[in-house]
Amino acid sequence: MKNTESLRQVLELERKKGYADKAVSGGLDRYLHKQAGQIRQTIADQRLLATFDSLNLGNSHYASWDIDKRKKWMANIFDRLQELEKTKKDKRSVVKAGNGLSARVKPAAEGRNESLSSAVVAIKGITPNVANKLSKLNVKTIRDLLYFFPRRYLDYSQRKPIAELEEGEEQTIVAIVWEARVTTLGNRAGTEAIVGDETGNIRVVWFNQPYLARNLSTNARVVISGRVSSFKGQKVFESPEWELLGSKELIHTARLVPVYPLTQGLYPRQVRRWMKELINGWAWQLKDFVPSEIRNRHHFLDLPQAIAQAHYPDNWSMAEKARERLAFDELFLLQLGLLARKRDWQESQPGNAFGADQGIIDGFLNCLPFALTQAQERVLQEILADISRPKAMCRLLQGEVGSGKTVIATIALLIAAANEHQGALMAPTEILAEQHFNNICGYLSTVGTPECHWEEQDSSLPLGTSSAIAARSGNVKCYAGFLSRPLTVALLVGSLRDSEKEDLHSQIQKGKVDIVVGTHALIQEGVEFRKLGLAVIDEQHRFGVLQRQKLRQKGFNPHILVMTATPIPRTMALTLYGDLDLSVIDELPPGRQVVKTKYLKPEQMGKAYAFVRREVGCGRQAFIICPIIDESEALEAKAATTEYDFLSREVFPDLKLGLLHGRMPANDKEDVMRRFRNGLLDILVSTSVVEVGIDVPKASVILVEGADRFGLSQLHQFRGRVGRNKDPGYCLLIPERPSPEATKRLQLVEEIHDGFALAEEDLKLRGPGQFSGTQQSGFPELHVADLSNSRLLELARREAIALMQSDPNLDRGEHTPLAKRVAQLWSETTEWS
Ligand code: ADP
Ligand code: MG
């Protein structure tokens, strides 16, 4: 065959050059890794294929060997090649004789010229039935299967002479079968064998597998891998992996053996065989989309090799290298997509450059009853710098509950208004929208004195009252004294009457409203702005990238400020919000007291209830949080309802309790929150759905049941809901099972009051899974990459930024495969073309 001929030529040249790895530029290994798969495609005969595979050319380590080993290896290859070529020739003549028409053998590949996007049934041994099972694991194409990685590996690489086997460890022997027979093991038929090597013999048993006996013929050489145990004082292998030592490469024994996530009816040995077939036959076809410059810079494996090693690693270090490369790919593609989106947003249209009038800012700040913290000051400057450029701002503002994000957002909205643009602030629920609306009006009215007055209502009324009126009237005007004209702030929520909504829509459209505060209602159809210049989104985790995009489409490339009170470690923020610049308010206003946090044992529940009762007795309010139930929201709701019944009847029959859970209709949720906030309830029994940002000034204690089930960050967020005014706040943590780890984690919450520090601890202890946002819609899934690997994350981001600078549209020829992969990954969410 042509391919084997060129292979032979290269090898002969290498031999002539004294085994110095000088025959091909880039090294022999690289050449072989590339060629092996292609040659393989031309071999149809199964036996020959096995011979060829046993050469393991796709996975050679020529470069790492000394001359002696190279010579021996080469001699062996030549022998095998000869065999291959000889058989080919025979075959060819048969064909020739057979039809007399053509001397050419059809390349075997013709029958199997499938591409990587072919269905998995193209793989030998994968039946439609199996394909069906695989599709349940989301594996449909050959490419999917290449990316269907083992969950872990069994280390069967430790080969030992039988005499040196140790009990309890995973070890491998190469032995001769002396005897193998069907026998009865624990009442069922099984196989028993005696195998031996030059150092001794050992008994091997397989339960329930009598048919194995047939495969282990006397004098066969067999490789056995597994744990050695002891039976009646004798060492024995119990149901180990086994493989006959023959021409085929070992895939079940004597190496790191992959363990795949299995579905019912797929057997490990089968899956491993398909995978080997797959790696040998297809991995080489994968185009390496990562530019070689980047690969070289970080010594990454090339893609086919990384895939091959991820399935069948030569050793632990190669397994790690493969994982590193594949994890990099995921993070790199992710970053590219995020950066591309940011670029599209910022550069598809010019943004609105707002002049930041210092007079207005000073006027506003001077009227506040407090001075900004240093962190607020710094973040304000970052935002002002952004919005003064003719490029849309894309910024994430992180800061704990109460750190003063809303004031900063208000200043930005004010600047937009002063620049004759509209602003919008979007919150995840009505109650939070109302809260923001009242706060913003409050700030603006203070500033406006003495001219300022409320046309419709006084903001100092209880929130419920004022918001009811606001909701009824649709908007509230306020006059800011230092502006040349009145400012209009409006509240737009779903519960407005249709006529009110329409009225408000038309005012927004005519530009009669300067600042609109609202819920999702803001991004619904029918809402059109005359000139939206700034959109602020509060509590990011409720909004996916898609909603952000919708809001953006409402304006002429408005500036976007996303605010979140969820502390996320920096590296995770870079990933989850890689399309946003990051600002952090990492300081609370002075004088804030920390919420006193106490870890109690389950049997101290009575004490906790007594404490709650005491607080309520002093005119304060309490939250009681019910445990998370992983299985379903329905079960969780049920458990919360039971707990609520129990507490209302048995523990606090004389107090007013409310119940809040995720299964309640939105209106009922809002209603119970509102009643609690307005002081009509003493205790709110809730699942974890209770709002992060909700402000209940009189709530002084939060009791968390099943505290061991929550992430540290989440516990920290819970306690942010109490102690909002002068009264001290308390947080009581009661675990379900006070295991030593739970105790340790909960003690961290007692001690650490910095949300970011707790988030870092959480990431270390529990991994990234529990940070909301990782499952955001429109966000590509990560299979290999670990979001807590900050080194690799930073590296991927750095490379992505550099690449976007040098080839912003990825339209250089060598970047075509990369552009394709990015587009594929982000197909639902980006307008990358
Ligand atoms: P966040 O939106 O980050 O939860 P807010 O902006 O609602 O925080 O601020 C929480 C409370 O702290 C508000 O009552 C606000 O007026 C007040 N506040 C904000 N900044 C300061 C500051 N620098 N000094 C004192 N109080 C402040
Ligand atoms: Mg807030």
Side-chain angles (χ1 to χ4, degrees):
M1 299 297 300
K2 193 168 137 278
N3 275 322
T4 43
E5 273 155 28
S6 59
L7 174 63
R8 173 181 285 280
Q9 278 166 14
V10 167
L11 293 179
E12 266 162 9
L13 185 64
E14 173 63 17
R15 185 158 59 178
K16 264 215 315 264
K17 292 198 168 182
Y19 302 95
D21 203 3
K22 290 269 166 57
V24 275
S25 67
L28 191 59
D29 286 326
R30 220 176 117 181
Y31 170 82
L32 291 174
H33 300 173
K34 283 236 163 73
Q35 291 301 308
Q38 301 189 25
I39 296 176
R40 199 175 180 282
Q41 289 285 290
T42 68
I43 306 175
D45 183 276
Q46 285 310 312
R47 206 183 55 81
L48 291 181
L49 209 53
T51 312
F52 182 80
D53 286 346
S54 70
L55 296 176
N56 203 11
L57 293 180
N59 213 355
S60 64
H61 298 292
Y62 191 76
S64 67
W65 295 333
D66 59 22
I67 298 270
D68 262 3
K69 186 149 187 205
R70 287 178 181 184
K71 271 188 192 159
K72 270 194 208 132
W73 175 82
M74 190 86 79
N76 177 37
I77 301 266
F78 278 121
D79 286 351
R80 297 292 181 86
L81 278 181
Q82 203 167 1
E83 236 174 87
L84 268 175
E85 282 161 0
K86 180 168 152 284
T87 333
K88 289 267 157 158
K89 272 190 203 111
D90 297 348
K91 277 222 153 174
R92 196 177 299 190
S93 50
V94 172
V95 174
K96 205 174 180 178
N99 60 24
L101 289 173
S102 163
R104 290 189 59 200
V105 182
K106 271 195 192 168
E110 210 153 284
R112 40 206 234 87
N113 60 352
E114 291 82 8
S115 74
L116 291 171
S117 32
S118 311
V120 287
V121 283
I123 309 283
K124 193 182 107 212
I126 298 194
T127 60
N129 189 19
V130 170
N132 210 4
K133 284 176 182 146
L134 285 171
S135 79
K136 294 206 180 92
L137 300 169
N138 237 339
V139 174
K140 303 204 167 74
T141 65
I142 292 182
R143 183 192 307 277
D144 294 341
L145 198 56
L146 284 168
Y147 276 88
F148 179 67
F149 297 120
R151 250 182 315 144
R152 61 194 178 93
Y153 309 99
L154 294 171
D155 190 346
Y156 290 155
S157 62
Q158 301 310 312
R159 192 182 150 183
K160 288 246 177 98
I162 289 176
E164 284 172 30
L165 287 174
E166 279 164 56
E167 244 173 76
E169 282 183 27
E170 265 163 7
Q171 295 151 95
T172 292
I173 56 169
V174 176
I176 307 263
V177 178
W178 298 133
E179 187 195 2
R181 60 190 180 92
V182 178
T183 181
T184 307
L185 297 164
N187 292 331
R188 314 222 8 208
T191 295
E192 174 179 37
I194 304 296
V195 304
D197 64 10
E198 57 279 8
T199 69
N201 299 332
I202 188 166
R203 199 167 80 99
V204 187
V205 294
W206 286 274
F207 297 100
N208 303 328
Q209 299 180 61
Y211 49 87
L212 282 193
R214 259 185 293 131
N215 298 321
L216 298 168
S217 44
T218 302
N219 287 329
R221 276 160 60 76
V222 67
V223 188
I224 306 253
S225 285
R227 202 175 288 279
V228 176
S229 50
S230 144
F231 181 74
K232 292 187 179 156
Q234 298 277 332
K235 280 180 198 148
V236 59
F237 276 107
E238 285 184 5
S239 295
E241 279 292 352
W242 66 277
E243 221 165 351
L244 289 178
L245 195 61
S247 56
K248 277 204 177 161
E249 198 184 338
L250 295 173
I251 59 172
H252 308 299
T253 58
R255 59 172 308 136
L256 293 183
V257 173
V259 179
Y260 291 95
L262 292 182
T263 183
Q264 262 199 334
L266 294 184
Y267 300 100
R269 286 175 78 93
Q270 276 180 315
V271 180
R272 273 181 224 136
R273 269 195 300 271
W274 303 328
M275 284 301 179
K276 191 65 198 173
E277 166 96 7
L278 178 80
I279 302 306
N280 290 343
W282 274 271
W284 62 273
Q285 290 189 39
L286 285 166
K287 281 225 175 53
D288 204 328
F289 50 84
V290 172
S292 54
E293 210 185 297
I294 296 179
R295 270 185 277 144
N296 295 340
R297 186 158 39 243
H298 305 292
H299 308 286
F300 286 137
L301 299 181
D302 62 30
L303 185 57
Q305 210 190 355
I307 294 278
Q309 290 292 328
H311 291 279
Y312 284 98
D314 292 342
N315 49 49
W316 286 112
S317 124
M318 285 306 277
E320 179 48 36
K321 284 194 82 149
R323 213 198 56 82
E324 164 118 346
R325 159 71 212 251
L326 296 167
F328 173 84
D329 285 4
E330 287 184 346
L331 298 171
F332 184 58
L333 293 172
L334 192 73
Q335 291 296 335
L336 282 174
L338 289 165
L339 292 169
R341 176 161 46 212
K342 179 172 171 193
R343 193 248 354 246
D344 289 348
W345 284 0
Q346 293 195 317
E347 282 163 30
S348 55
Q349 311 167 45
N352 309 293
F354 293 156
D357 184 329
Q358 199 56 45
I360 293 180
I361 297 171
D362 289 344
F364 180 87
L365 292 178
N366 287 337
C367 292
L368 285 180
F370 49 77
L372 294 186
T373 61
Q374 272 185 18
Q376 280 174 312
E377 196 66 67
R378 184 187 66 232
V379 166
L380 176 62
Q381 292 313 321
E382 287 166 354
I383 292 171
L384 292 177
D386 278 1
I387 61 179
S388 67
R389 277 193 288 262
K391 211 184 205 193
M393 166 169 74
C394 298
R395 191 166 281 280
L396 174 69
L397 172 51
Q398 274 191 290
E400 295 212 25
V401 171
S403 61
K405 299 181 291 294
T406 311
V407 199
I408 302 300
T410 306
I411 300 177
L413 289 165
L414 191 60
I415 296 294
N419 283 268
E420 305 305 327
H421 276 76
Q422 288 168 299
L425 192 160
M426 185 157 79
T429 63
E430 293 210 354
I431 199 160
L432 284 175
E434 282 167 18
Q435 195 173 296
H436 276 306
F437 175 74
N438 287 304
N439 285 340
I440 289 179
C441 289
Y443 287 131
L444 291 175
S445 68
T446 330
V447 167
T449 47
E451 294 94 324
C452 169
H453 66 273
W454 294 97
E455 202 167 75
E456 324 244 354
Q457 247 327 315
D458 189 316
S459 72
S460 62
L461 279 179
L463 288 163
T465 337
S466 121
S467 62
I469 287 165
R472 209 164 1 94
S473 68
N475 70 72
V476 173
K477 279 185 181 164
C478 86
Y479 295 83
F482 52 85
L483 286 179
S484 52
R485 60 181 181 86
L487 271 192
T488 308
V489 186
L491 177 66
L492 175 59
V493 289
S495 63
L496 290 183
R497 268 188 268 118
D498 284 351
S499 60
E500 292 167 333
K501 250 188 244 171
E502 275 160 33
D503 183 44
L504 198 47
H505 288 175
S506 111
Q507 293 203 43
I508 295 171
Q509 205 219 328
K510 288 188 191 132
K512 290 194 175 153
V513 177
D514 296 290
I515 298 172
V516 194
V517 181
T519 54
H520 284 77
L522 270 179
I523 53 171
Q524 256 134 34
E525 256 172 74
V527 184
E528 272 173 50
F529 289 84
R530 205 172 90 82
K531 228 179 172 189
L532 180 61
L534 168 65
V536 181
I537 307 176
D538 191 21
E539 301 307 349
Q540 162 66 18
H541 62 286
R542 298 292 195 81
F543 292 110
V545 278
L546 295 177
Q547 275 113 333
R548 234 185 281 159
Q549 201 147 317
K550 267 200 186 149
L551 187 54
R552 172 177 293 275
Q553 282 154 1
K554 294 275 174 201
F556 302 88
N557 210 17
H559 296 294
I560 300 243
L561 179 65
V562 175
M563 304 198 292
T564 176
T566 314
I568 302 170
R570 191 189 124 79
T571 51
M572 277 193 65
L574 287 182
T575 302
L576 297 177
Y577 309 114
D579 53 343
L580 304 171
D581 296 310
L582 189 59
S583 284
V584 182
I585 302 185
D586 50 5
E587 176 187 6
L588 288 177
R592 279 294 153 77
Q593 42 193 344
V594 299
V595 174
K596 291 194 191 74
T597 305
K598 189 94 185 96
Y599 159 75
L600 297 173
K601 300 213 176 71
E603 57 269 25
Q604 292 174 296
M605 195 64 97
K607 213 170 146 187
Y609 291 149
F611 188 85
V612 167
R613 175 174 286 284
R614 200 192 78 191
E615 286 295 299
V616 172
C618 299
R620 296 187 274 263
Q621 291 168 287
F623 290 96
I624 296 182
I625 306 290
C626 306
I628 300 186
I629 295 175
D630 289 331
E631 295 89 72
S632 80
E633 202 182 53
L635 281 181
E636 188 165 286
K638 194 158 162 254
T641 309
T642 310
E643 182 68 12
Y644 166 78
D645 288 343
F646 165 74
L647 290 171
S648 331
R649 243 180 268 141
E650 312 285 329
V651 189
F652 304 110
D654 51 327
L655 303 181
K656 283 165 293 191
L657 274 68
L659 171 66
L660 183 73
H661 62 70
R663 272 303 180 96
M664 286 161 54
N667 285 346
D668 294 2
K669 276 193 242 172
E670 300 263 358
D671 186 56
V672 73
M673 278 309 303
R674 194 165 283 134
R675 287 193 0 238
F676 184 60
R677 190 184 58 184
N678 295 344
L680 302 175
L681 298 172
D682 300 312
I683 299 175
L684 184 66
V685 179
S686 172
T687 60
S688 59
V689 297
V690 62
E691 286 313 330
V692 175
I694 197 79
D695 208 348
V696 185
K698 275 172 47 190
S700 64
V701 55
I702 185 161
L703 164 62
V704 186
E705 298 180 5
D708 48 333
R709 299 228 186 179
F710 293 101
L712 303 184
S713 306
Q714 209 173 1
L715 291 171
H716 180 68
Q717 300 234 311
F718 285 150
R719 78 179 154 191
R721 278 157 218 175
V722 299
R724 294 288 192 106
N725 63 3
K726 312 150 293 293
D727 300 328
Y730 301 94
C731 172
L732 307 177
L733 304 172
I734 305 196
E736 237 162 47
R737 276 153 312 186
S739 66
E741 303 93 85
T743 305
K744 215 172 100 196
R745 288 178 56 239
L746 295 179
Q747 279 168 349
L748 285 175
V749 185
E750 275 187 334
E751 288 156 20
I752 302 177
H753 285 267
D754 171 346
F756 285 98
L758 281 173
E760 296 281 356
E761 289 293 336
D762 231 4
L763 186 60
K764 264 190 260 161
L765 290 171
R766 307 215 313 174
Q770 91 268 218
F771 288 93
S772 44
T774 32
Q775 302 96 351
Q776 226 182 115
S777 65
F779 198 83
E781 254 180 279
L782 298 175
H783 300 284
V784 188
D786 168 6
L787 286 185
S788 49
N789 185 345
S790 52
R791 183 192 58 80
L792 197 63
L793 243 158
E794 302 263 9
L795 191 140
R797 185 165 174 87
R798 247 193 347 263
E799 287 294 0
I801 291 173
L803 185 65
M804 291 290 279
Q805 265 159 11
S806 77
D807 184 12
N809 295 310
L810 298 185
D811 38 32
R812 287 217 300 266
E814 71 266 30
H815 296 153
T816 311
L818 183 57
K820 266 199 195 141
R821 283 292 287 151
V822 177
Q824 222 171 14
L825 198 68
W826 288 90
S827 52
E828 293 100 50
T829 50
T830 11
E831 51 272 47
W832 187 295
S833 51

